[in-house]
Amino acid sequence: MDTDVLDDGNLRLEFTITGEDSQGRLHEMRATYRPGSTLPIAHLHPNQTEHFTVEQGEMWCRVDGVETVLRAGDTPDVPAGSVHQMRNPGAEDAVVTWQTRPALRTGEFHRRLADARRTGDIAAVLEVVAEYADVFVVARQEP
């Protein structure tokens, strides 16, 4: 496969295995979260599970309201339908292997979302989120 890299200065995603590579079983990325990375919106994946391996640095995550600090070697799983968020609260890059099963349209979603975000047009971002509701759903924010 050709390597896909998406980098917005906050988060760098390098696609390492795509749905095409794995006959739809898996989408895998090497994610580099920059220091003090922005907290993404609370969301869920209705039909997919996620598995993370923290390779270096520190990550903060919240899954279904439970907050955890993760360090190198930690391997959290996020079940389908679980509301979650992750970010790097540390002063150094955090590197995570991020696996999504099944792949579905995960790679396409990340590419389209990156393109929409680059325009700065929130309507374009919301349109992508609505189009890819099979892989990404905005969830109610935890208090």
Side-chain angles (χ1 to χ4, degrees), residues 16-128:
T16 54
I17 301 173
T18 65
E20 291 174 358
D21 299 330
S22 67
Q23 292 77 47
R25 289 187 305 274
L26 167 70
H27 181 86
E28 181 182 275
M29 299 179 285
R30 179 179 173 88
T32 303
Y33 291 81
R34 300 307 184 333
S37 63
T38 305
L39 185 64
I41 194 163
H43 65 280
L44 61 89
H45 308 285
N47 304 302
Q48 297 167 292
T49 62
E50 290 182 305
H51 175 78
F52 299 89
T53 301
V54 180
E55 306 293 344
Q56 73 180 54
E58 181 177 282
M59 293 292 294
W60 172 92
C61 74
R62 178 171 32 217
V63 178
D64 290 334
V66 178
E67 296 182 17
T68 308
V69 175
L70 306 168
R71 293 180 177 78
D74 289 340
T75 59
D77 291 300
V78 178
S82 291
V83 176
H84 62 284
Q85 297 170 283
M86 293 181 80
R87 69 179 291 272
N88 173 7
E92 298 180 10
D93 284 353
V95 179
V96 177
T97 300
W98 175 357
Q99 298 178 334
T100 305
R101 287 185 173 87
L104 302 180
R105 301 189 304 154
T106 299
E108 183 182 334
F109 167 72
H110 283 291
R111 287 185 203 100
R112 292 278 314 280
L113 185 62
D115 289 346
R117 290 182 69 200
R118 273 193 292 275
T119 70
D121 179 1
I122 190 66
V125 171
L126 294 173
E127 183 178 308
V128 171

